[in-house]
Amino acid sequence: MDQRKLVLNEDSEFNFLCHDGLDCFKKCCRDINIYLTPYDVLRMKNLLGMSSGEFLDKYTLNVQLPTGFSIVQIKMSEEDNLTCPFITSKGCRVYKERPWSCRIAPVDMLGGGKYSFIFESSRCHGLNEKKSQTIKEWISDQGLEIYEEMEQGFSEIPGYLKLTGDQEIDDKLIKLFFLACYDLDNFRSYLMHNTSLAEKMDVTVERFEEIRHDDVQLMNFGFQLLSLGTEHLKDLISRELV
């Protein structure tokens, strides 16, 4: 049976174990779209000891959404048969901070508390292994629970931020969205050189210090800023922002 046709809930059990003894090991890391969340970029660039700008330039591609804003995905290596650039002979070199989509695989989220699988067992032989767990146990074991907390603000942004039809304003909104969500180090640099923005948002001295030194606090501030919505941001960017 094709596992991709199954519909499961968090209490459903499934068999899965990935290890280097499988002949499909690492094959799922080639020629695939791996989209990165803001929290993914934060964790991966810090693990690699890179700035966000360096990480994004070297390892990602921008993907424009129908909304006009862009998200990022990992840039597969054209020199190595479209293999993920983080794959080595021994496995994933960013495994400790691997992206959300890699953590949840082979499980697929369907929404509404329903799940299925990204692969069928003929491709992912780990689905034929004997180790059993529930969907809920898998999510917990893979460290996915913190992502919901970290990125709640990100998921709410589309409800607040829309393009206006004014090219000049929209270009600035698009740039601000990308900066605040993904390019955190350059976003921090901007904030440190334009403290009046924090003042307009009534950021306390203590909060400003957190933003200066903590990437998670900076990311959350970016989400907070974007959640002000198009009309408020239009006023800011028309005068000084980006």
Side-chain angles (χ1 to χ4, degrees):
M1 179 180 181
D2 187 342
Q3 279 79 358
R4 294 173 298 177
K5 295 180 180 179
L6 295 173
V7 178
L8 311 173
N9 59 49
E10 66 175 15
D11 295 318
S12 300
E13 292 190 352
F14 70 102
N15 291 351
F16 178 74
L17 179 64
C18 181
H19 55 86
D20 59 7
L22 299 172
D23 60 6
C24 63
F25 185 62
K26 299 188 298 182
K27 290 183 180 179
C28 60
C29 306
R30 186 190 71 78
D31 196 14
I32 188 170
N33 294 328
I34 302 176
Y35 296 99
L36 300 180
T37 70
Y39 192 48
D40 284 331
V41 173
L42 183 162
R43 293 175 64 154
M44 293 173 73
K45 65 98 174 177
N46 285 342
L47 176 68
L48 295 168
M50 306 173 73
S51 72
S52 55
E54 291 171 332
F55 176 85
L56 292 166
D57 287 343
K58 185 172 183 178
Y59 292 118
T60 72
L61 297 170
N62 288 11
V63 179
Q64 189 177 61
L65 300 174
T67 60
F69 297 100
S70 294
I71 59 174
V72 300
Q73 70 179 57
I74 292 178
K75 179 167 52 179
M76 298 290 133
S77 174
E78 295 184 2
E79 294 77 24
D80 190 21
N81 199 26
L82 296 180
T83 298
C84 175
F86 303 113
I87 289 298
T88 71
S89 59
K90 297 181 179 180
C92 178
R93 67 186 177 102
V94 295
Y95 185 80
K96 179 182 177 182
E97 303 292 2
R98 63 198 182 282
W100 180 93
S101 57
C102 298
R103 289 174 182 271
I104 200 169
V107 174
D108 188 17
M109 293 184 69
L110 302 178
K114 301 298 182 182
Y115 303 84
S116 188
F117 296 99
I118 299 172
F119 309 113
E120 56 181 310
S121 59
S122 61
R123 178 180 178 187
C124 177
H125 299 174
L127 290 167
N128 297 322
E129 296 288 290
K130 295 181 179 180
K131 183 179 179 181
S132 177
Q133 57 265 301
T134 65
I135 296 290
K136 185 175 182 179
E137 289 170 339
W138 176 253
I139 288 173
S140 177
D141 182 63
Q142 297 303 304
L144 287 161
E145 292 167 324
I146 191 175
Y147 278 78
E148 183 175 356
E149 174 187 351
M150 288 294 101
E151 301 202 328
Q152 181 178 355
F154 179 65
S155 65
E156 295 172 353
I157 291 171
Y160 300 105
L161 195 61
K162 312 288 184 183
L163 296 186
T164 66
D166 182 312
Q167 188 66 50
E168 182 178 358
I169 291 176
D170 287 348
D171 286 345
K172 291 181 178 180
L173 286 173
I174 290 168
K175 182 178 179 181
L176 175 61
F177 173 85
F178 192 82
L179 198 68
C181 291
Y182 297 106
D183 197 357
L184 288 179
D185 291 302
N186 282 322
F187 183 47
R188 176 184 284 116
S189 179
Y190 175 80
L191 292 176
M192 296 307 107
H193 289 89
N194 297 270
T195 56
S196 60
L197 175 61
E199 293 170 0
K200 288 184 177 67
M201 294 185 66
D202 295 323
V203 174
T204 64
V205 173
E206 293 77 14
R207 175 72 168 140
F208 192 72
E209 284 302 302
E210 289 178 339
I211 292 169
R212 285 184 61 186
H213 301 291
D214 188 315
D215 278 352
V216 171
Q217 294 297 329
L218 176 65
M219 181 183 73
N220 287 332
F221 176 77
F223 296 163
Q224 179 187 357
L225 173 64
L226 295 173
S227 70
L228 291 176
T230 300
E231 290 305 312
H232 195 144
L233 290 174
K234 278 171 58 178
D235 180 55
L236 289 176
I237 63 179
S238 65
R239 286 181 289 160
E240 59 180 312
L241 196 58
V242 297

